[in-house]
Coordinates of all heavy atoms in Angstrom, one line a residue:
M1009 N 2.1 14.3 -5.0 CA 3.3 14.3 -4.1 C 4.5 14.1 -4.9 O 5.5 14.9 -4.7 CB 3.3 13.0 -3.1 CG 4.6 12.8 -2.2 SD 4.3 11.4 -1.2 CE 6.0 11.4 -0.5
R1010 N 4.7 13.3 -5.8 CA 5.8 13.1 -6.6 C 5.6 13.4 -8.0 O 4.5 13.0 -8.7 CB 6.4 11.7 -6.3 CG 6.9 11.6 -5.0 CD 7.1 10.2 -4.5 NE 7.6 10.3 -3.1 CZ 7.7 9.3 -2.4 NH1 7.4 8.1 -2.7 NH2 8.2 9.4 -1.1
E1011 N 6.6 14.1 -8.7 CA 6.5 14.5 -10.1 C 6.9 13.5 -11.2 O 7.7 13.8 -12.0 CB 7.3 15.8 -10.3 CG 6.9 16.9 -9.2 CD 5.3 17.3 -9.3 OE1 4.8 17.3 -10.5 OE2 4.8 17.5 -8.4
I1012 N 6.4 12.3 -11.1 CA 6.7 11.4 -12.0 C 5.3 10.7 -12.5 O 4.4 10.6 -11.6 CB 7.5 10.2 -11.3 CG1 8.8 10.8 -10.7 CG2 7.9 9.1 -12.4 CD1 9.6 9.9 -9.7
G1013 N 5.2 10.4 -13.8 CA 3.9 10.1 -14.4 C 3.0 9.2 -13.6 O 1.9 9.6 -13.2
W1014 N 3.5 8.1 -13.1 CA 2.7 7.1 -12.3 C 2.4 7.7 -11.0 O 1.4 7.2 -10.4 CB 3.4 5.7 -12.2 CG 4.8 5.9 -11.9 CD1 5.9 5.7 -12.7 CD2 5.4 6.1 -10.6 NE1 7.1 6.0 -12.0 CE2 6.8 6.2 -10.7 CE3 4.8 6.3 -9.3 CZ2 7.7 6.3 -9.7 CZ3 5.7 6.5 -8.3 CH2 7.1 6.6 -8.4
A1015 N 3.1 8.6 -10.5 CA 2.8 9.1 -9.1 C 1.5 9.8 -9.0 O 1.0 9.8 -7.9 CB 4.0 10.1 -8.7
A1016 N 1.0 10.3 -10.1 CA -0.4 10.8 -10.0 C -1.4 9.9 -9.6 O -2.5 10.3 -9.1 CB -0.7 11.4 -11.4
R1017 N -1.1 8.6 -9.8 CA -2.0 7.6 -9.3 C -1.6 7.0 -7.9 O -2.2 6.0 -7.4 CB -2.1 6.5 -10.3 CG -2.8 6.8 -11.6 CD -3.0 5.8 -12.7 NE -1.7 5.4 -13.2 CZ -1.2 4.2 -13.2 NH1 -1.9 3.1 -12.8 NH2 0.0 3.9 -13.7
G1018 N -0.5 7.5 -7.3 CA -0.1 6.9 -6.1 C -1.0 7.2 -4.9 O -1.7 8.2 -4.9
A1019 N -1.2 6.3 -4.0 CA -2.0 6.4 -2.8 C -1.5 7.5 -2.0 O -2.3 8.0 -1.1 CB -2.0 5.0 -2.1
C1020 N -0.2 7.9 -2.1 CA 0.3 8.9 -1.2 C 0.0 10.3 -1.6 O 0.4 11.3 -0.9 CB 1.8 8.7 -1.0 SG 2.7 8.7 -2.5
R1021 N -0.6 10.4 -2.8 CA -0.6 11.9 -3.4 C -1.4 12.8 -2.6 O -1.2 14.1 -2.6 CB -1.3 11.9 -4.8 CG -2.6 11.4 -4.9 CD -3.1 11.3 -6.4 NE -4.5 10.9 -6.4 CZ -5.1 9.8 -6.2 NH1 -4.4 8.8 -5.7 NH2 -6.3 9.6 -6.3
T1022 N -2.3 12.4 -1.6 CA -3.0 13.3 -0.8 C -2.5 13.1 0.7 O -3.1 13.7 1.6 CB -4.5 13.0 -0.8 OG1 -4.8 11.6 -0.4 CG2 -5.1 13.3 -2.1
S1023 N -1.4 12.4 0.9 CA -0.9 12.3 2.3 C 0.1 13.4 2.6 O 0.8 14.1 1.7 CB -0.1 10.9 2.4 OG -0.9 9.8 2.0
D1024 N 0.3 13.5 3.9 CA 1.3 14.4 4.3 C 2.8 13.9 3.9 O 3.1 12.8 4.3 CB 1.2 14.5 5.9 CG 2.2 15.4 6.5 OD1 3.0 15.9 5.8 OD2 2.1 15.6 7.8
P1025 N 3.4 14.8 3.3 CA 4.8 14.3 2.8 C 5.7 13.9 3.9 O 6.6 13.0 3.7 CB 5.4 15.5 2.1 CG 4.2 16.3 1.6 CD 3.2 16.1 2.7
E1026 N 5.5 14.5 5.1 CA 6.4 14.0 6.3 C 6.2 12.6 6.7 O 7.0 12.0 7.4 CB 6.2 15.0 7.5 CG 6.8 16.2 7.2 CD 7.1 17.1 8.6 OE1 6.7 16.5 9.6 OE2 7.6 18.1 8.5
L1027 N 5.0 12.0 6.3 CA 4.8 10.6 6.5 C 5.9 9.8 5.8 O 6.4 8.7 6.3 CB 3.4 10.2 6.1 CG 3.0 8.8 6.4 CD1 3.0 8.6 8.1 CD2 1.5 8.7 6.0
F1028 N 6.2 10.2 4.6 CA 7.1 9.4 3.7 C 8.5 9.9 3.9 O 9.4 9.3 3.5 CB 6.6 9.5 2.3 CG 5.4 8.8 2.0 CD1 4.1 9.4 2.4 CD2 5.4 7.4 1.7 CE1 2.9 8.6 2.3 CE2 4.1 6.8 1.7 CZ 2.8 7.4 1.9
F1029 N 8.7 11.2 4.3 CA 10.0 11.7 4.5 C 10.1 12.3 5.9 O 10.2 13.5 6.1 CB 10.2 12.9 3.4 CG 10.3 12.3 2.1 CD1 9.2 12.3 1.3 CD2 11.5 11.8 1.6 CE1 9.1 11.8 0.0 CE2 11.6 11.4 0.3 CZ 10.4 11.3 -0.6
P1030 N 10.1 11.5 6.9 CA 10.0 12.0 8.3 C 11.2 12.7 8.6 O 12.4 12.3 8.2 CB 9.9 10.7 9.2 CG 10.3 9.6 8.4 CD 10.0 10.0 6.9
P1031 N 11.2 13.6 9.5 CA 12.5 14.4 9.9 C 13.4 13.5 10.7 O 14.5 13.9 10.8 CB 11.9 15.6 10.7 CG 10.5 15.3 11.1 CD 9.9 14.3 10.0
A1032 N 12.9 12.5 11.4 CA 13.7 11.6 12.1 C 13.2 10.2 12.0 O 12.0 9.9 11.7 CB 13.7 12.0 13.6
Q1033 N 14.1 9.2 12.2 CA 13.7 7.8 12.1 C 12.6 7.5 13.1 O 12.7 7.9 14.3 CB 14.9 7.0 12.4 CG 14.6 5.5 12.5 CD 14.2 4.8 11.1 OE1 14.9 5.3 10.2 NE2 13.5 3.9 11.1
S1034 N 11.5 7.0 12.7 CA 10.4 6.7 13.6 C 9.8 5.4 13.0 O 9.2 5.4 11.9 CB 9.4 7.8 13.6 OG 8.1 7.3 13.9
D1035 N 9.7 4.3 13.9 CA 9.0 3.1 13.5 C 7.5 3.3 13.2 O 6.9 2.7 12.3 CB 9.2 2.1 14.7 CG 10.6 1.6 14.8 OD1 11.4 1.8 13.8 OD2 10.9 1.0 15.8
E1036 N 6.9 4.2 14.0 CA 5.4 4.5 13.8 C 5.2 5.2 12.5 O 4.4 4.9 11.6 CB 5.0 5.4 14.9 CG 3.4 5.7 14.7 CD 3.0 6.9 15.6 OE1 3.7 7.2 16.5 OE2 2.0 7.5 15.1
H1037 N 6.1 6.2 12.1 CA 5.9 6.8 10.7 C 6.2 5.8 9.7 O 5.4 5.7 8.7 CB 7.1 7.8 10.6 CG 6.6 9.3 10.9 ND1 6.9 9.8 12.1 CD2 5.8 10.1 10.2 CE1 6.2 11.0 12.2 NE2 5.7 11.2 11.0
E1038 N 7.2 4.9 9.8 CA 7.4 3.9 8.9 C 6.3 2.9 8.6 O 5.9 2.7 7.4 CB 8.8 3.1 9.2 CG 9.2 2.2 8.2 CD 10.5 1.4 8.6 OE1 11.4 2.0 9.1 OE2 10.5 0.2 8.6
A1039 N 5.6 2.6 9.7 CA 4.6 1.6 9.5 C 3.4 2.2 9.0 O 2.6 1.7 8.2 CB 4.3 1.1 10.9
R1040 N 3.1 3.5 9.3 CA 2.0 4.2 8.6 C 2.2 4.4 7.2 O 1.3 4.3 6.4 CB 1.7 5.6 9.5 CG 1.1 5.3 10.8 CD 1.0 6.5 11.6 NE 0.3 7.6 10.9 CZ 0.6 8.9 11.1 NH1 1.5 9.3 12.0 NH2 -0.1 9.8 10.4
A1041 N 3.4 4.9 6.8 CA 3.7 5.1 5.4 C 3.6 3.7 4.6 O 3.0 3.7 3.6 CB 5.1 5.7 5.2
K1042 N 4.0 2.7 5.2 CA 4.1 1.3 4.5 C 2.7 0.9 4.3 O 2.3 0.3 3.4 CB 4.9 0.3 5.2 CG 6.4 0.5 5.0 CD 7.2 -0.5 5.7 CE 8.7 -0.5 5.4 NZ 9.4 -1.5 5.9
A1043 N 1.8 1.2 5.4 CA 0.4 0.9 5.2 C -0.3 1.6 4.0 O -1.2 0.9 3.3 CB -0.3 1.2 6.5
V1044 N 0.1 2.8 3.8 CA -0.4 3.5 2.6 C 0.1 2.8 1.3 O -0.7 2.6 0.4 CB -0.1 4.9 2.6 CG1 -0.4 5.7 1.3 CG2 -0.7 5.7 3.8
C1045 N 1.3 2.6 1.3 CA 2.0 1.9 0.1 C 1.3 0.6 -0.2 O 1.1 0.1 -1.3 CB 3.4 1.7 0.3 SG 4.3 3.2 0.4
E1046 N 0.9 -0.3 0.8 CA 0.3 -1.5 0.6 C -0.9 -1.6 -0.2 O -1.3 -2.4 -0.9 CB 0.0 -2.1 2.0 CG 1.2 -2.9 2.6 CD 0.7 -3.5 4.0 OE1 -0.4 -3.8 4.1 OE2 1.7 -3.7 4.8
R1047 N -1.7 -0.4 -0.1 CA -2.9 -0.3 -1.0 C -2.7 0.6 -2.2 O -3.6 1.0 -2.9 CB -4.1 0.2 0.0 CG -3.8 1.6 0.4 CD -5.0 2.0 1.3 NE -4.7 3.3 2.1 CZ -4.8 4.5 1.4 NH1 -5.2 4.6 0.1 NH2 -4.5 5.6 2.0
C1048 N -1.5 0.8 -2.6 CA -1.1 1.8 -3.7 C -1.2 1.0 -5.0 O -0.6 -0.1 -5.2 CB 0.2 2.3 -3.5 SG 0.6 3.5 -4.8
P1049 N -1.9 1.4 -6.0 CA -2.0 0.7 -7.3 C -0.7 0.8 -8.1 O -0.5 0.2 -9.1 CB -3.1 1.5 -8.1 CG -3.2 2.8 -7.5 CD -2.7 2.6 -6.0
V1050 N 0.3 1.7 -7.7 CA 1.5 1.9 -8.5 C 2.8 1.5 -7.7 O 3.8 1.9 -7.9 CB 1.6 3.3 -9.2 CG1 0.6 3.5 -10.2 CG2 1.5 4.4 -8.0
L1051 N 2.5 0.6 -6.7 CA 3.6 0.1 -5.8 C 4.8 -0.3 -6.6 O 5.9 0.1 -6.4 CB 3.1 -0.8 -4.8 CG 4.2 -1.3 -3.8 CD1 3.5 -1.5 -2.5 CD2 5.0 -2.5 -4.2
Q1052 N 4.6 -1.2 -7.6 CA 5.8 -1.8 -8.3 C 6.4 -0.7 -9.1 O 7.7 -0.8 -9.1 CB 5.2 -3.0 -9.2 CG 4.6 -4.2 -8.5 CD 5.6 -4.7 -7.4 OE1 6.8 -4.7 -7.6 NE2 5.1 -5.2 -6.3
E1053 N 5.7 0.2 -9.7 CA 6.4 1.2 -10.6 C 7.3 2.1 -9.6 O 8.4 2.4 -9.9 CB 5.4 2.0 -11.2 CG 4.7 1.4 -12.4 CD 3.4 0.7 -12.0 OE1 3.2 0.4 -10.9 OE2 2.6 0.6 -12.8
C1054 N 6.7 2.5 -8.5 CA 7.3 3.3 -7.5 C 8.6 2.6 -7.0 O 9.7 3.3 -6.9 CB 6.3 3.7 -6.4 SG 7.0 4.7 -5.1
R1055 N 8.5 1.4 -6.6 CA 9.6 0.7 -6.0 C 10.7 0.5 -7.0 O 11.8 0.8 -6.8 CB 9.1 -0.7 -5.5 CG 10.2 -1.6 -5.0 CD 9.7 -2.8 -4.4 NE 8.8 -2.6 -3.3 CZ 8.2 -3.6 -2.7 NH1 8.3 -4.9 -3.1 NH2 7.4 -3.2 -1.6
A1056 N 10.4 0.1 -8.3 CA 11.4 0.0 -9.4 C 12.1 1.3 -9.6 O 13.3 1.3 -9.7 CB 10.7 -0.6 -10.6
Y1057 N 11.4 2.3 -9.7 CA 11.9 3.6 -9.8 C 12.9 4.0 -8.7 O 14.1 4.4 -9.0 CB 10.9 4.8 -9.9 CG 11.5 6.2 -9.8 CD1 12.3 6.8 -10.8 CD2 11.5 6.7 -8.4 CE1 12.8 8.0 -10.6 CE2 12.1 7.8 -8.3 CZ 12.8 8.6 -9.4 OH 13.5 9.7 -9.1
A1058 N 12.5 3.8 -7.5 CA 13.4 4.2 -6.4 C 14.6 3.5 -6.3 O 15.6 4.0 -5.9 CB 12.5 4.1 -5.1
V1059 N 14.5 2.2 -6.5 CA 15.6 1.3 -6.5 C 16.6 1.7 -7.6 O 17.9 1.8 -7.4 CB 15.3 -0.2 -6.6 CG1 16.5 -1.1 -6.8 CG2 14.5 -0.7 -5.3
R1060 N 16.1 1.9 -8.8 CA 16.9 2.3 -10.0 C 17.5 3.5 -9.8 O 18.7 3.8 -10.1 CB 16.0 2.2 -11.3 CG 16.7 2.4 -12.5 CD 15.8 2.2 -13.7 NE 14.7 3.0 -13.7 CZ 13.4 2.6 -13.5 NH1 13.1 1.4 -13.4 NH2 12.5 3.5 -13.6
A1061 N 16.8 4.5 -9.2 CA 17.3 5.9 -9.1 C 18.1 6.0 -7.8 O 18.7 7.2 -7.6 CB 16.1 6.9 -9.1
A1062 N 18.2 5.0 -7.0 CA 18.9 5.1 -5.7 C 18.5 6.3 -5.0 O 19.2 7.1 -4.4 CB 20.4 5.1 -5.9
E1063 N 17.1 6.4 -4.8 CA 16.6 7.5 -4.0 C 17.2 7.4 -2.6 O 17.1 6.4 -1.9 CB 15.0 7.4 -3.9 CG 14.4 7.8 -5.2 CD 14.4 9.4 -5.3 OE1 14.7 10.1 -4.3 OE2 14.1 9.9 -6.4
P1064 N 17.7 8.6 -2.2 CA 18.6 8.5 -1.0 C 17.7 8.8 0.4 O 18.3 8.7 1.5 CB 19.5 9.7 -1.1 CG 18.9 10.7 -2.0 CD 18.0 9.8 -2.9
E1065 N 16.4 9.0 0.1 CA 15.6 9.4 1.4 C 14.2 8.8 1.2 O 13.8 8.6 0.1 CB 15.5 10.9 1.5 CG 16.8 11.5 1.9 CD 16.7 13.0 2.0 OE1 15.5 13.5 1.9 OE2 17.7 13.7 2.1
G1066 N 13.6 8.7 2.2 CA 12.1 8.4 2.4 C 11.7 7.0 2.0 O 12.5 6.1 1.8
I1067 N 10.4 6.8 2.2 CA 9.8 5.5 1.9 C 9.2 5.6 0.5 O 8.5 6.6 0.1 CB 8.6 5.3 2.8 CG1 9.0 5.3 4.3 CG2 7.8 3.9 2.5 CD1 9.6 4.1 4.9
W1068 N 9.6 4.7 -0.3 CA 9.2 4.6 -1.7 C 8.7 3.1 -2.0 O 9.6 2.3 -1.6 CB 10.2 5.0 -2.7 CG 10.7 6.4 -2.7 CD1 11.4 7.1 -1.8 CD2 10.4 7.3 -3.7 NE1 11.7 8.3 -2.2 CE2 11.1 8.6 -3.3 CE3 9.7 7.4 -4.9 CZ2 11.0 9.7 -4.1 CZ3 9.6 8.6 -5.8 CH2 10.4 9.7 -5.3
G1069 N 7.7 2.9 -2.6 CA 7.3 1.6 -3.0 C 7.2 0.7 -1.7 O 7.5 -0.5 -1.9
G1070 N 6.9 1.2 -0.6 CA 6.8 0.5 0.6 C 8.1 -0.1 1.2 O 8.2 -0.9 2.1
L1071 N 9.3 0.6 0.8 CA 10.5 0.3 1.3 C 11.3 1.5 1.9 O 11.2 2.5 1.3 CB 11.4 -0.5 0.1 CG 10.8 -1.7 -0.5 CD1 11.7 -2.2 -1.6 CD2 10.6 -2.8 0.6
T1072 N 12.1 1.2 2.9 CA 12.9 2.1 3.4 C 14.2 2.3 2.5 O 14.4 1.5 1.7 CB 13.4 1.8 4.8 OG1 14.1 0.6 4.8 CG2 12.1 1.7 5.8
V1073 N 15.0 3.3 2.9 CA 16.4 3.4 2.2 C 17.1 2.2 2.3 O 17.7 1.6 1.3 CB 17.1 4.6 2.6 CG1 18.5 4.7 2.1 CG2 16.4 6.0 2.4
R1074 N 17.2 1.7 3.6 CA 18.0 0.4 3.8 C 17.5 -0.7 3.0 O 18.3 -1.5 2.6 CB 18.1 0.2 5.3 CG 18.8 -1.1 5.6 CD 18.8 -1.4 7.1 NE 19.6 -0.4 7.7 CZ 20.1 -0.4 9.0 NH1 19.6 -1.4 9.8 NH2 20.9 0.4 9.5
E1075 N 16.1 -0.8 3.0 CA 15.5 -2.0 2.3 C 15.9 -1.9 0.8 O 16.1 -3.0 0.1 CB 14.1 -2.1 2.6 CG 13.8 -2.5 4.0 CD 12.4 -2.2 4.4 OE1 11.6 -1.3 3.8 OE2 11.9 -2.8 5.4
R1076 N 15.7 -0.8 0.2 CA 16.0 -0.5 -1.1 C 17.5 -0.7 -1.5 O 17.8 -1.5 -2.4 CB 15.7 0.9 -1.6 CG 14.2 1.2 -1.6 CD 13.8 2.3 -2.3 NE 14.5 3.6 -1.9 CZ 14.0 4.3 -0.9 NH1 12.9 4.1 -0.3 NH2 14.7 5.5 -0.6
R1077 N 18.4 -0.4 -0.6 CA 19.8 -0.7 -0.7 C 20.0 -2.2 -0.8 O 20.8 -2.7 -1.5 CB 20.7 0.0 0.2 CG 21.0 1.4 0.2 CD 22.0 1.9 1.1 NE 22.0 3.4 1.2 CZ 21.9 4.1 2.1 NH1 21.9 3.5 3.4 NH2 21.9 5.4 2.1
G1078 N 19.3 -2.9 0.0 CA 19.4 -4.4 0.1 C 19.0 -5.0 -1.3 O 19.8 -5.9 -1.8
L1079 N 17.9 -4.4 -1.8 CA 17.5 -5.0 -3.1 C 18.5 -4.6 -4.2 O 18.8 -5.5 -5.0 CB 16.2 -4.3 -3.4 CG 14.9 -5.0 -3.0 CD1 13.7 -4.2 -3.6 CD2 14.8 -6.4 -3.3
R1080 N 19.0 -3.4 -4.2 CA 20.1 -3.1 -5.2 C 21.2 -4.0 -5.1 O 21.8 -4.5 -6.0 CB 20.5 -1.7 -5.1 CG 19.6 -0.7 -5.9 CD 20.3 0.5 -6.3 NE 21.4 1.0 -5.2 CZ 21.0 1.8 -4.2 NH1 19.6 2.1 -3.9 NH2 21.9 2.2 -3.3
F1081 N 21.7 -4.2 -3.8 CA 22.9 -5.0 -3.7 C 22.6 -6.4 -4.2 O 23.5 -6.9 -4.8 CB 23.3 -4.9 -2.1 CG 24.5 -5.7 -1.8 CD1 25.7 -5.3 -2.2 CD2 24.6 -6.8 -1.0 CE1 26.9 -5.9 -2.0 CE2 25.6 -7.5 -0.7 CZ 26.9 -7.1 -1.2
S1082 N 21.6 -7.0 -3.8 CA 21.3 -8.4 -4.1 C 21.2 -8.5 -5.7 O 21.6 -9.4 -6.3 CB 20.1 -9.0 -3.4 OG 18.9 -8.3 -3.8
G1083 N 20.7 -7.4 -6.3 CA 20.5 -7.4 -7.7 C 21.9 -7.3 -8.4 O 22.2 -8.0 -9.4
D1084 N 22.7 -6.4 -7.9 CA 24.1 -6.3 -8.4 C 24.7 -7.7 -8.3 O 25.6 -8.2 -9.1 CB 24.8 -5.4 -7.6 CG 24.4 -3.9 -7.7 OD1 23.7 -3.8 -8.8 OD2 24.7 -3.0 -7.1
R1085 N 24.6 -8.5 -7.1 CA 25.3 -9.8 -6.9 C 24.7 -10.8 -7.8 O 25.6 -11.4 -8.5 CB 25.2 -10.2 -5.4 CG 26.1 -9.4 -4.5 CD 25.9 -9.7 -3.1 NE 25.6 -11.0 -2.8 CZ 25.4 -11.6 -1.6 NH1 25.5 -10.8 -0.6 NH2 24.9 -12.8 -1.4
R1086 N 23.5 -10.7 -8.2 CA 22.9 -11.7 -9.1 C 23.5 -11.4 -10.5 O 23.9 -12.3 -11.2 CB 21.4 -11.6 -9.1 CG 20.7 -12.4 -8.1 CD 19.2 -12.6 -8.4 NE 18.5 -11.4 -8.6 CZ 18.0 -10.8 -7.5 NH1 18.2 -11.2 -6.3 NH2 17.4 -9.6 -7.7
R1087 N 23.6 -10.1 -10.9 CA 24.1 -9.8 -12.2 C 25.6 -10.1 -12.3 O 26.0 -10.8 -13.3 CB 23.9 -8.2 -12.5 CG 22.5 -7.9 -13.0 CD 22.4 -6.5 -13.5 NE 22.5 -5.5 -12.4 CZ 21.6 -5.2 -11.5 NH1 20.3 -5.7 -11.6 NH2 21.8 -4.3 -10.6
A1088 N 26.4 -10.0 -11.3 CA 27.7 -10.3 -11.3 C 27.9 -11.8 -11.4 O 28.9 -12.3 -12.1 CB 28.5 -9.8 -10.0
A1089 N 27.1 -12.5 -10.7 CA 27.2 -14.0 -10.8 C 26.9 -14.5 -12.1 O 27.4 -15.5 -12.6 CB 26.3 -14.7 -9.7
A1090 N 25.9 -13.8 -12.9 CA 25.5 -14.3 -14.2 C 26.5 -14.0 -15.4 O 26.3 -14.6 -16.4 CB 24.1 -13.7 -14.5
S1091 N 27.4 -13.1 -15.0 CA 28.3 -12.6 -16.1 C 29.5 -13.5 -16.1 O 29.9 -14.2 -15.2 CB 28.5 -11.1 -16.0 OG 29.2 -10.8 -14.8
Ligands
SF4_2501 S1 4.1 2.9 -3.4 FE1 3.9 4.3 -1.6 S2 5.3 6.0 -2.0 FE2 5.0 5.0 -3.9 S3 3.4 6.1 -4.9 FE3 2.5 4.5 -3.9 S4 1.9 5.3 -1.8 FE4 3.4 6.7 -2.8

């Protein structure tokens, strides 16, 4: 599914891409995609990549765009507080 080294081991590699990039917001799609991510051996790599790259769409590492933005924002605030 995704052209990044670790992605070859992703649990989603044989899934329908629309499950992870649905054409419209759908709680059912989101839950089904997250269920695949839960059993993925590269969840942490995928999540770290997507947060770092600010992937603008889709479910990556078991997180939605909004959830990833929240992680990035909280990380930015922690770094700002430490400096
Ligand atoms: S964590 Fe989810 S989106 Fe990422 S590679 Fe695994 S199954 Fe695919």
Side-chain angles (χ1 to χ4, degrees):
M1009 173 180 176
R1010 293 169 175 163
E1011 304 301 324
I1012 304 169
W1014 46 260
R1017 294 182 288 127
C1020 60
R1021 68 187 183 285
T1022 57
S1023 299
D1024 179 353
E1026 283 201 5
L1027 186 59
F1028 294 85
F1029 296 93
Q1033 174 70 31
S1034 159
D1035 290 344
E1036 183 196 339
H1037 266 97
E1038 184 178 313
R1040 288 175 50 210
K1042 286 183 172 185
V1044 174
C1045 294
E1046 278 180 23
R1047 62 182 173 77
C1048 181
V1050 293
L1051 184 147
Q1052 294 305 324
E1053 291 92 331
C1054 179
R1055 180 175 294 180
Y1057 162 78
V1059 170
R1060 190 172 56 246
E1063 282 289 342
E1065 297 178 4
I1067 305 278
W1068 292 74
L1071 299 177
T1072 63
V1073 173
R1074 176 179 289 191
E1075 291 165 337
R1076 293 194 304 272
R1077 280 190 193 130
L1079 274 185
R1080 266 203 331 275
F1081 182 67
S1082 64
D1084 289 347
R1085 285 179 26 184
R1086 274 196 304 274
R1087 279 189 291 279
S1091 61

